[in-house]
């Protein structure tokens, strides 16, 4: 089983070409880093970034932060070597850009399998994440998400999507509602995680917070970040609040008590417990525990 | 392998190193300028020679201008310069790099 | 001789009463007689202190070979006074002088010439940077340079360890009798705190100003009763370089994250109570702490009683917004601080009031918190802020050892690795501030608490402060950067060996 279950609130893109960025980005405590070999890297420096990637994966202890690699597009002449370097270095996962079909996922997976065999890594140990960057990709979200056992999640990439949709980027994110909803439904149906696109206006903290609140309420698992300062804010919004944690504790405590006492009707804080609350309460406490803000024993 | 043409990799940004490989007959020579020369000079020179050996370099001049890069970056820049010199872009022997 | 923190201090330095370091409170209760200047009485009411030029003032002061002269650094990088005076002295051919300065940097580079030709053969200072630092590090100064903290310098002057023959005091304004101040004029420095002891303890005192005002020039930092001569020059400094326009708060996420942890440490320390006092250095993460401190003050409805130190805009902003009741100013770092020095409840204090542990109530001993930087920290929590890892003198202890020893909680904030150089390491190049006075070390890789502070360790136990041991921090630094080799030009003994 390739896909590991863990908290992935933030995934920060790092331009692998830049030594200063990749040497110790774990100090910002993101849940995941994405070493970028694609858009951030200048054409003439693809080789240099790839070798830096390999040496970083191999020699820099990322202190438990999950390491992903965004490879170049499947139709480029760079992707094979990108995957070989990433797998040889021992990356936890590969993010495939511009994914439009399930066949592409299968093709990437086959390349990863070949690399795993070549470099003596357990076959199937490298996860995959697909970035949906076009209307076709969004339409095929469910097929993409279920195309392969390696699939950990799907991520929206709004730049190209908005362009091809003839839409305008808005502060409210009106143009992304369709894509966000569609891919989220697909991800949940497929049982994989869902990640939202980057927020490019890095100086606009208020706008960033609003967008985070929106995608959290929609049900996203996390967000792609482009600046280290976005990590703390992302965690702040994605973490359950103190009130949510307290409520979740009460719900689960009531469930436990009822099991012991055989009481049929549950009430918490004076209200009858809806069965739907229990799952949400468990999810919140698990998230809080993974985030290090809940130390209790209820989950 | 001997160095026949020159190649360059890396930058002069902080935490990076710029590496040039140039023809030089007889042996592998390392020339180092470093912001941390006193503390890491010997170590970096040994690392460069070791990397050259792994790459199968028999002679050549490796010129490094180091701006406080970590080992993995210095190694990466030397390897990049080397493969730029040889022109090899695919099927790199990652397991030995 | 091996001192209390395990540093070998060569015997050649342990003469004329210099003792090796024996613990930060070793001199507590020490009794001494204060030094006193030799004063020329001005009995006749016709005394005219105004002289035409610096040359005349030097001649009249009776400066001779082998004497000690003093300067302050309130004019910072814009200072013209040191170079103007040294050029006149150089022309007069006086040799073998000791310069007792409060800090030396690039504005004082004429001293390089003076050191090279023997005009100056001794230096004692609280900071040494740039070309002067390099020249002294190369061993070109005839006698060993003595680096004292601001409090240590004030102490040495008051107890007679240092005898100043002639003090040259640049002042923004002065009247003809030498009532001088850092306020007003063309070169406003806000305060003249560091020159206070120079004026009171030097045998001859020369005030150099570019703005003569009608007397009495009150409130006067330097009182006319202590002044022998007043010289008016065209300009004492470049106002552009005296105060930095604005020390901008850092936008670097790494530094901000460290500042956040510092504020968190303060908040949970048990000392964060209404009326608390604090001082922060001017480094990026130290200064940024003010932003996060403000959030905690708002949250708990707590106000700061007083903030002290080198004053900067972020402190002034807190003061203006009502979060800080009073400012105690020994140095105004930027234009905002200079402007604020003219306002109510912003008080000038002398170097001795600020940090001299040999007086009866230095403010450093009343500090709740001090936040300081470091070039290097060792596993004994000893801190170096003076000597680069390559051996070159490039920093200033300033009030570092004084405030660290005095404050209830002293916090060092620094990145774990700077351009590959491990900040936390087995051994610092030289010790500026002994580890027994350092309580917390905040880095981008985690926070270490001095095991002596069991109270703080207990207070932090259930917080999300990322605690590590100092050895763990060192191991991390070595893991990522590799272990550095000791510098080749490191010379033992060029370290602060005696505190104060």
């Amino acid at each position: 089983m390739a896909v590991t279950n863990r908290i992935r609130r933030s995934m920060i893109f790092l331009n692998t070409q830049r030594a200063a960025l990749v040497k110790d980005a774990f100090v910002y405590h993101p849940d995941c880093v994405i070493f970028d070999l694609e858009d951030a890297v200048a054409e003439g420096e693809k080789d240099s970034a790839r070798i830096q990637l390999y040496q970083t994966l191999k020699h820099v202890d990322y202190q438990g932060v999950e390491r992903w690699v965004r490879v170049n597009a499947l139709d480029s002449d760079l992707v094979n070597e990108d995957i070989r370097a990433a797998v040889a270095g021992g990356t936890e996962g590969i993010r495939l850009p511009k994914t439009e079909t399930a066949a592409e996922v299968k093709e990437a997976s086959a390349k990863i399998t070949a690399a795993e065999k070549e470099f003596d890594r357990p076959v199937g140990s490298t996860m995959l994440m697909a970035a949906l960057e076009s209307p076709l990709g969004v339409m095929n979200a469910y097929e993409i998400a279920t195309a392969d056992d390696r699939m950990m999640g799907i991520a929206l990439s709004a730049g190209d999507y908005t362009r091809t949709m003839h839409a305008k980027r808005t502060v409210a994110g009106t143009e992304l509602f369709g894509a966000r909803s569609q891919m989220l439904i697909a991800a949940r149906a497929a049982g994989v995680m869902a990640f939202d696109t980057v927020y490019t206006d890095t100086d606009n903290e208020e706008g960033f917070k609003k967008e985070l609140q929106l995608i959290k309420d929609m049900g996203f698992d996390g967000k792609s970040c482009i600046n280290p300062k976005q990590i703390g804010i992302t965690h702040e919004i994605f973490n359950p609040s103190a009130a949510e944690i307290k409520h979740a504790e009460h719900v689960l405590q009531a469930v436990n008590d009822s099991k012991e006492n055989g009481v049929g009707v549950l009430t918490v804080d004076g209200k009858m417990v809806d069965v739907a609350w229990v799952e949400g309460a468990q999810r919140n406490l698990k998230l809080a525990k993974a985030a290090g803000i809940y130390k209790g024993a209820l989950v | 392998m001997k160095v026949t043409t020159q190649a360059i990799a890396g930058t002069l940004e902080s935490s990076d190193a710029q590496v040039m490989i140039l023809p030089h007959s007889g042996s592998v020579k390392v020339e180092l300028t470093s912001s941390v020369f006193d503390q890491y000079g010997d170590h970096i020179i040994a690392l460069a020679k070791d990397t050259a050996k792994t790459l199968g370099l028999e002679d050549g001049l490796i010129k490094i201008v180091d701006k406080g890069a970590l080992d993995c970056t210095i190694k990466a820049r030397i390897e990049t310069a080397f493969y730029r010199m040889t022109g090899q872009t695919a099927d790199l022997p990652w397991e030995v790099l | 001789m091996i001192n209390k923190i395990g540093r070998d201090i060569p015997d050649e330095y342990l003469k004329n009463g210099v003792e090796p370091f024996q613990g930060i409170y070793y001199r507590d209760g020490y009794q001494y007689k204060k030094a006193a200047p030799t004063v020329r009485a001005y009995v006749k009411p016709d005394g005219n202190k105004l002289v035409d030029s610096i040359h005349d003032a030097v001649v009249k002061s009776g400066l001779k070979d082998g004497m000690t002269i003093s300067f302050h650094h309130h004019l910072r990088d814009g200072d013209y006074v040191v170079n103007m005076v040294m050029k006149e002295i150089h022309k007069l051919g006086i040799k073998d002088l000791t310069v007792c300065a409060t800090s030396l940097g690039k504005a004082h580079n004429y001293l390089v010439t003076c050191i090279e030709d023997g005009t100056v053969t001794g230096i004692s200072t609280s900071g040494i940077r740039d070309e002067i630092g390099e020249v002294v590090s190369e061993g070109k100064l005839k006698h060993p340079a003595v680096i004292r903290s601001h409090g240590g310098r004030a102490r040495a002057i008051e107890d007679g360890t240092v005898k100043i023959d002639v003090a040259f005091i640049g002042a923004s304004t002065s009247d003809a009798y030498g009532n001088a101040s850092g306020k007003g004029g063309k070169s406003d420095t806000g305060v003249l705190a560091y020159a206070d002891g120079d004026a009171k303890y030097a045998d001859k005192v020369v005030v150099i100003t570019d703005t003569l005002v009608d007397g009495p020039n009150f409130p006067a930092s330097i009182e006319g009763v202590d002044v022998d001569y007043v010289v008016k020059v065209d300009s004492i400094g470049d106002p552009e370089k005296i105060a930095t326009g604005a020390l901008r708060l850092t936008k670097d996420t790494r530094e901000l994250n460290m500042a956040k942890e510092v504020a968190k440490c303060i908040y949970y320390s048990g000392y964060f109570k209404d009326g608390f006092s604090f001082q922060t250095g001017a480094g990026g993460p130290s200064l940024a702490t003010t932003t996060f401190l403000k959030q905690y003050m708002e949250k708990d409805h707590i106000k700061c009683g007083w903030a002290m130190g080198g004053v900067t805009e972020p402190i002034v902003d807190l003061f203006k917004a009502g979060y800080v009741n009073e400012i105690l100013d020994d140095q105004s770092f930027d234009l905002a601080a200079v402007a604020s020095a003219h306002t109510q409840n912003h008080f000038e204090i002398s170097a001795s009031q600020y940090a001299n542990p040999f007086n009866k109530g230095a403010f450093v001993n009343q500090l709740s918190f001090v936040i300081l930087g470091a070039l290097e920290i060792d596993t004994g929590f000893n801190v170096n802020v003076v000597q680069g890892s390559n051996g070159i003198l490039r920093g200033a202890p300033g009030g570092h050892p004084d405030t660290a020893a005095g404050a209830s909680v002293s916090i060092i904030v620094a990145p774990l690795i700077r351009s590959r150089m491990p900040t936390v390491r087995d051994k610092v190049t030289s010790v500026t501030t002994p580890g027994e006075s350092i309580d917390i070390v905040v880095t981008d890789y985690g926070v270490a608490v001095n095991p002596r502070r069991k109270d703080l360790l207990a207070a932090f136990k259930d917080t999300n402060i990322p605690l590590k041991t100092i050895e763990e921090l060192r191991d991390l630094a070595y893991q990522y950067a590799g272990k550095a080799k000791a510098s080749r030009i490191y010379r033992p003994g060029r370290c602060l060996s005696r505190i104060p």
Side-chain angles (χ1 to χ4, degrees), chain C residues 84-152:
Chain C
M84 283 193 298
V85 171
M86 289 317 300
K87 276 177 189 163
E88 291 306 326
I89 290 173
H90 198 230
K91 268 191 232 162
L92 287 163
I94 303 170
K95 295 281 178 192
D96 203 18
L97 294 174
T98 293
V99 170
C100 174
T102 58
S103 201
L104 296 171
K106 61 178 159 222
H108 317 124
N109 59 3
Y110 193 71
L111 279 173
V112 172
T113 312
C114 295
I115 289 168
E116 283 171 343
D117 75 357
T119 302
V120 171
T121 53
I123 278 180
S124 80
T125 180
S126 304
I128 186 159
R129 290 191 167 91
D130 299 299
E131 226 185 316
I132 300 171
E134 286 162 26
V135 164
V136 173
S137 304
E138 282 165 25
K140 289 190 178 164
L141 188 71
K142 190 175 166 196
H143 305 298
V146 179
I147 298 174
R148 290 191 183 85
S149 64
H150 286 319

Side-chain angles (χ1 to χ4, degrees), chain C residues 53-63 88 92 94 168 229:
Chain C
S53 65
I54 290 175
H55 170 271
D56 291 0
V58 172
V59 171
K60 286 195 167 194
S61 73
L63 188 70
E88 291 306 326
L92 287 163
I94 303 170
F168 294 95
Y229 305 108

